Amino acid sequence: PMLSDWTNYGGWEAAGAKDALTRATGLWQQALRDYEEPALDPTIREALDAYVARRKEEIGSDEP
């Protein structure tokens, strides 16, 4: 429904004749512009960063 355009052909053409791909591109680009990273408790962020660092060390660089 977000991508459909129910206007008649003349109205659609007058509004720029945007097809579904063009409308979809505009929607995802707007979503990226509007995105705000949610707040994360600093303690949780530190724990996640430590976990990722530990796992990278455990896995090593030779693994695919």
Side-chain angles (χ1 to χ4, degrees):
M2 293 171 45
L3 297 179
S4 63
D5 186 347
W6 289 68
T7 58
N8 62 26
Y9 182 77
W12 172 77
E13 198 172 37
K18 295 180 183 176
D19 61 4
L21 178 62
T22 303
R23 289 190 301 274
T25 300
L27 286 172
W28 72 257
Q29 289 175 341
Q30 185 64 44
L32 286 179
R33 283 191 297 271
D34 294 345
Y35 177 76
E36 293 181 19
E37 186 174 354
L40 185 61
D41 183 278
T43 306
I44 295 172
R45 171 68 67 191
E46 290 173 11
L48 288 172
D49 290 344
Y51 173 79
V52 169
R54 187 178 78 246
R55 289 298 295 147
K56 283 182 178 180
E57 185 177 319
E58 292 171 355
I59 292 171
S61 61
D62 295 332
E63 297 294 322

